[in-house]
PDB file of all heavy atoms in Angstrom:
ATOM      1  N   LEU A  62      36.767  79.089  26.594  1.00 98.00           N
ATOM      2  CA  LEU A  62      35.567  79.913  26.653  1.00 98.00           C
ATOM      3  C   LEU A  62      34.724  79.552  27.875  1.00 98.00           C
ATOM      4  O   LEU A  62      34.202  80.441  28.562  1.00 98.00           O
ATOM      5  CB  LEU A  62      34.737  79.742  25.374  1.00 98.00           C
ATOM      6  CG  LEU A  62      33.416  80.509  25.321  1.00 98.00           C
ATOM      7  CD1 LEU A  62      33.638  82.007  25.497  1.00 98.00           C
ATOM      8  CD2 LEU A  62      32.681  80.196  24.022  1.00 98.00           C
ATOM      9  N   GLU A  63      34.614  78.279  28.171  1.00 98.00           N
ATOM     10  CA  GLU A  63      33.820  77.840  29.318  1.00 98.00           C
ATOM     11  C   GLU A  63      34.376  78.414  30.624  1.00 98.00           C
ATOM     12  O   GLU A  63      33.619  78.844  31.498  1.00 98.00           O
ATOM     13  CB  GLU A  63      33.765  76.315  29.387  1.00 98.00           C
ATOM     14  CG  GLU A  63      32.998  75.679  28.249  1.00 98.00           C
ATOM     15  CD  GLU A  63      33.753  75.659  26.916  1.00 98.00           C
ATOM     16  OE1 GLU A  63      35.010  75.762  26.907  1.00 98.00           O
ATOM     17  OE2 GLU A  63      33.090  75.573  25.876  1.00 98.00           O
ATOM     18  N   HIS A  64      35.694  78.440  30.745  1.00 98.00           N
ATOM     19  CA  HIS A  64      36.299  79.005  31.947  1.00 98.00           C
ATOM     20  C   HIS A  64      36.058  80.510  32.023  1.00 98.00           C
ATOM     21  O   HIS A  64      35.794  81.049  33.102  1.00 98.00           O
ATOM     22  CB  HIS A  64      37.787  78.678  32.013  1.00 98.00           C
ATOM     23  CG  HIS A  64      38.048  77.242  32.315  1.00 98.00           C
ATOM     24  ND1 HIS A  64      39.210  76.614  31.936  1.00 98.00           N
ATOM     25  CD2 HIS A  64      37.304  76.304  32.942  1.00 98.00           C
ATOM     26  CE1 HIS A  64      39.170  75.346  32.340  1.00 98.00           C
ATOM     27  NE2 HIS A  64      38.012  75.143  32.948  1.00 98.00           N
ATOM     28  N   ALA A  65      36.142  81.198  30.907  1.00 98.00           N
ATOM     29  CA  ALA A  65      35.865  82.647  30.887  1.00 98.00           C
ATOM     30  C   ALA A  65      34.417  82.910  31.285  1.00 98.00           C
ATOM     31  O   ALA A  65      34.130  83.829  32.069  1.00 98.00           O
ATOM     32  CB  ALA A  65      36.156  83.216  29.501  1.00 98.00           C
ATOM     33  N   GLN A  66      33.510  82.107  30.785  1.00 98.00           N
ATOM     34  CA  GLN A  66      32.091  82.297  31.076  1.00 98.00           C
ATOM     35  C   GLN A  66      31.762  82.031  32.540  1.00 98.00           C
ATOM     36  O   GLN A  66      30.759  82.522  33.049  1.00 98.00           O
ATOM     37  CB  GLN A  66      31.248  81.401  30.169  1.00 98.00           C
ATOM     38  CG  GLN A  66      31.284  81.854  28.724  1.00 98.00           C
ATOM     39  CD  GLN A  66      30.648  80.848  27.776  1.00 98.00           C
ATOM     40  OE1 GLN A  66      30.634  79.655  28.027  1.00 98.00           O
ATOM     41  NE2 GLN A  66      30.140  81.363  26.666  1.00 98.00           N
ATOM     42  N   ALA A  67      32.603  81.273  33.225  1.00 97.00           N
ATOM     43  CA  ALA A  67      32.365  80.984  34.645  1.00 97.00           C
ATOM     44  C   ALA A  67      32.374  82.248  35.492  1.00 97.00           C
ATOM     45  O   ALA A  67      31.768  82.281  36.574  1.00 97.00           O
ATOM     46  CB  ALA A  67      33.400  79.983  35.166  1.00 97.00           C
ATOM     47  N   MET A  68      33.029  83.306  35.021  1.00 97.00           N
ATOM     48  CA  MET A  68      33.034  84.566  35.763  1.00 97.00           C
ATOM     49  C   MET A  68      31.620  85.122  35.929  1.00 97.00           C
ATOM     50  O   MET A  68      31.325  85.796  36.909  1.00 97.00           O
ATOM     51  CB  MET A  68      33.899  85.601  35.049  1.00 97.00           C
ATOM     52  CG  MET A  68      35.383  85.425  35.241  1.00 97.00           C
ATOM     53  SD  MET A  68      35.895  85.607  36.958  1.00 97.00           S
ATOM     54  CE  MET A  68      35.523  87.325  37.250  1.00 97.00           C
ATOM     55  N   SER A  69      30.739  84.820  34.983  1.00 95.00           N
ATOM     56  CA  SER A  69      29.369  85.339  35.032  1.00 95.00           C
ATOM     57  C   SER A  69      28.589  84.819  36.235  1.00 95.00           C
ATOM     58  O   SER A  69      27.622  85.449  36.661  1.00 95.00           O
ATOM     59  CB  SER A  69      28.619  84.974  33.748  1.00 95.00           C
ATOM     60  OG  SER A  69      29.209  85.614  32.649  1.00 95.00           O
ATOM     61  N   SER A  70      28.994  83.690  36.764  1.00 96.00           N
ATOM     62  CA  SER A  70      28.266  83.119  37.897  1.00 96.00           C
ATOM     63  C   SER A  70      29.063  83.171  39.202  1.00 96.00           C
ATOM     64  O   SER A  70      28.662  82.558  40.193  1.00 96.00           O
ATOM     65  CB  SER A  70      27.865  81.674  37.585  1.00 96.00           C
ATOM     66  OG  SER A  70      29.010  80.891  37.339  1.00 96.00           O
ATOM     67  N   LEU A  71      30.165  83.916  39.215  1.00 97.00           N
ATOM     68  CA  LEU A  71      30.971  84.040  40.427  1.00 97.00           C
ATOM     69  C   LEU A  71      30.249  84.972  41.405  1.00 97.00           C
ATOM     70  O   LEU A  71      30.071  86.164  41.140  1.00 97.00           O
ATOM     71  CB  LEU A  71      32.358  84.579  40.086  1.00 97.00           C
ATOM     72  CG  LEU A  71      33.372  84.601  41.226  1.00 97.00           C
ATOM     73  CD1 LEU A  71      33.719  83.175  41.670  1.00 97.00           C
ATOM     74  CD2 LEU A  71      34.635  85.336  40.790  1.00 97.00           C
ATOM     75  N   ALA A  72      29.817  84.421  42.539  1.00 97.00           N
ATOM     76  CA  ALA A  72      28.997  85.174  43.499  1.00 97.00           C
ATOM     77  C   ALA A  72      29.675  86.458  43.962  1.00 97.00           C
ATOM     78  O   ALA A  72      29.032  87.504  44.076  1.00 97.00           O
ATOM     79  CB  ALA A  72      28.652  84.291  44.696  1.00 97.00           C
ATOM     80  N   GLU A  73      30.970  86.395  44.241  1.00 97.00           N
ATOM     81  CA  GLU A  73      31.697  87.576  44.715  1.00 97.00           C
ATOM     82  C   GLU A  73      31.696  88.686  43.667  1.00 97.00           C
ATOM     83  O   GLU A  73      31.585  89.874  44.011  1.00 97.00           O
ATOM     84  CB  GLU A  73      33.138  87.196  45.090  1.00 97.00           C
ATOM     85  CG  GLU A  73      33.247  86.291  46.286  1.00 97.00           C
ATOM     86  CD  GLU A  73      33.136  84.802  45.970  1.00 97.00           C
ATOM     87  OE1 GLU A  73      32.734  84.433  44.847  1.00 97.00           O
ATOM     88  OE2 GLU A  73      33.444  83.996  46.867  1.00 97.00           O
ATOM     89  N   MET A  74      31.797  88.317  42.399  1.00 96.00           N
ATOM     90  CA  MET A  74      31.791  89.315  41.326  1.00 96.00           C
ATOM     91  C   MET A  74      30.391  89.901  41.145  1.00 96.00           C
ATOM     92  O   MET A  74      30.239  91.109  40.951  1.00 96.00           O
ATOM     93  CB  MET A  74      32.282  88.700  40.017  1.00 96.00           C
ATOM     94  CG  MET A  74      32.390  89.703  38.889  1.00 96.00           C
ATOM     95  SD  MET A  74      33.551  91.051  39.222  1.00 96.00           S
ATOM     96  CE  MET A  74      35.092  90.237  38.877  1.00 96.00           C
ATOM     97  N   THR A  75      29.385  89.062  41.233  1.00 96.00           N
ATOM     98  CA  THR A  75      28.004  89.546  41.122  1.00 96.00           C
ATOM     99  C   THR A  75      27.693  90.549  42.228  1.00 96.00           C
ATOM    100  O   THR A  75      27.132  91.624  41.975  1.00 96.00           O
ATOM    101  CB  THR A  75      27.015  88.365  41.179  1.00 96.00           C
ATOM    102  OG1 THR A  75      27.314  87.472  40.099  1.00 96.00           O
ATOM    103  CG2 THR A  75      25.577  88.835  41.074  1.00 96.00           C
ATOM    104  N   ALA A  76      28.084  90.218  43.450  1.00 97.00           N
ATOM    105  CA  ALA A  76      27.838  91.125  44.583  1.00 97.00           C
ATOM    106  C   ALA A  76      28.576  92.445  44.395  1.00 97.00           C
ATOM    107  O   ALA A  76      28.017  93.526  44.659  1.00 97.00           O
ATOM    108  CB  ALA A  76      28.266  90.450  45.886  1.00 97.00           C
ATOM    109  N   LEU A  77      29.808  92.381  43.930  1.00 97.00           N
ATOM    110  CA  LEU A  77      30.583  93.600  43.719  1.00 97.00           C
ATOM    111  C   LEU A  77      29.973  94.446  42.605  1.00 97.00           C
ATOM    112  O   LEU A  77      29.891  95.675  42.715  1.00 97.00           O
ATOM    113  CB  LEU A  77      32.039  93.257  43.402  1.00 97.00           C
ATOM    114  CG  LEU A  77      32.980  94.437  43.307  1.00 97.00           C
ATOM    115  CD1 LEU A  77      33.091  95.161  44.648  1.00 97.00           C
ATOM    116  CD2 LEU A  77      34.359  93.972  42.838  1.00 97.00           C
ATOM    117  N   GLY A  78      29.534  93.810  41.533  1.00 96.00           N
ATOM    118  CA  GLY A  78      28.888  94.535  40.445  1.00 96.00           C
ATOM    119  C   GLY A  78      27.641  95.268  40.922  1.00 96.00           C
ATOM    120  O   GLY A  78      27.395  96.420  40.542  1.00 96.00           O
ATOM    121  N   GLU A  79      26.861  94.606  41.774  1.00 97.00           N
ATOM    122  CA  GLU A  79      25.665  95.251  42.332  1.00 97.00           C
ATOM    123  C   GLU A  79      26.043  96.444  43.206  1.00 97.00           C
ATOM    124  O   GLU A  79      25.375  97.477  43.185  1.00 97.00           O
ATOM    125  CB  GLU A  79      24.849  94.225  43.114  1.00 97.00           C
ATOM    126  CG  GLU A  79      24.207  93.174  42.218  1.00 97.00           C
ATOM    127  CD  GLU A  79      23.609  92.005  42.981  1.00 97.00           C
ATOM    128  OE1 GLU A  79      23.751  91.951  44.237  1.00 97.00           O
ATOM    129  OE2 GLU A  79      23.010  91.141  42.324  1.00 97.00           O
ATOM    130  N   GLU A  80      27.118  96.291  43.967  1.00 98.00           N
ATOM    131  CA  GLU A  80      27.588  97.395  44.814  1.00 98.00           C
ATOM    132  C   GLU A  80      28.004  98.591  43.959  1.00 98.00           C
ATOM    133  O   GLU A  80      27.642  99.740  44.253  1.00 98.00           O
ATOM    134  CB  GLU A  80      28.761  96.918  45.666  1.00 98.00           C
ATOM    135  CG  GLU A  80      29.306  97.965  46.597  1.00 98.00           C
ATOM    136  CD  GLU A  80      30.488  97.478  47.421  1.00 98.00           C
ATOM    137  OE1 GLU A  80      30.667  96.257  47.590  1.00 98.00           O
ATOM    138  OE2 GLU A  80      31.249  98.345  47.890  1.00 98.00           O
TER     139      GLU A  80
END
Side-chain angles (χ1 to χ4, degrees):
L62 178 58
E63 293 75 21
H64 288 155
Q66 290 170 332
M68 282 297 294
S69 295
S70 60
L71 187 66
E73 293 87 347
M74 184 61 79
T75 301
L77 186 64
E79 291 169 356
E80 181 181 339

